[in-house]
Amino acid sequence: MGTQIDMDTPIRKVSLLFAMEEEARPVIDALGLSADSRLHDRDLPFVTYRGESAGLAISATVSGHDHRYAVDNIGPVAATLMAYTTVDHFTPDLVISAGTAGGFSARSADIGTVYLSDDRFVFHDRLVPLPGFDESAVGHYPAFNVRRMASALQLPTGVVSSGSSLQKHPRDVEVIEQFGAVAKEMEAAAVAWVCMLKNTPLVAVKSITNLLDEPGTSEEQFLRNLATASQSLQKQLLRVLQYLPGKTLAQLSGHES
């Protein structure tokens, strides 16, 4: 396991993790981050951008492309390795899994609503009906408590659920409903496993591209709304980063010692 979390030292290093270039680009450009290709094994597709903002040392890593099919490396496999290399190299004070997700109009979501993670991260499509393995497959990885920050920024919070498919499947939705998750996406729980092992605080910032309880397929809504959701993600993620300087981890939750 990683070293003990220091709750009382001001946050200095923040690592952002993105699956898709289109999700990351507005944030990278707004922060003026510069690419640094030296930070990863040359066999890995990840691209990291670095810079300073309001006293924070920021790294933003994107999964890169699967050049066989000319698409982004989305999903939990790439996210796991990207999270490990990032945490191992930067030893950040806080990791932010940033990106887009599906949501639910029944939970007051709209296209572009941005959630902060709360309570836990779960997997909704790892179904192993054996004692012990069933709960391990779901994960229940801790989400760092940022409720004071969420209140200050007036951002909604909730459980984030991850899986390997964009398409909505009734069994996946059943598991998501079981945990009352507000966001269905493809990376955060994988990142959360790594951060749990490394004792590194993690918060997800997720912007809604599609509503699972509204007509239309997830993929159709995703393509139609990705640009809008990415702009909303940029706006709220920048607000999060502007809130952090000078704060300790304890102050994000309101549990100062």
Side-chain angles (χ1 to χ4, degrees), residues 38-39 58 72 74 76 87-88 101 105-106 116 155 166 182 189 220-221 239:
R38 300 169 298 170
L39 301 177
I58 297 175
D72 298 281
I74 63 174
V87 173
D88 191 56
S105 59
L116 301 185
L155 291 175
L166 173 65
V182 297
E220 290 170 339
Q221 293 186 59
R239 292 181 68 223

Side-chain angles (χ1 to χ4, degrees), residues 1-5 83-84 87-88 193-201:
M1 300 292 285
T3 59
Q4 188 68 28
I5 295 173
Y84 178 78
V87 173
D88 191 56
W193 178 62
V194 174
C195 288
M196 181 185 72
L197 295 177
K198 302 290 283 185
N199 279 351
T200 301

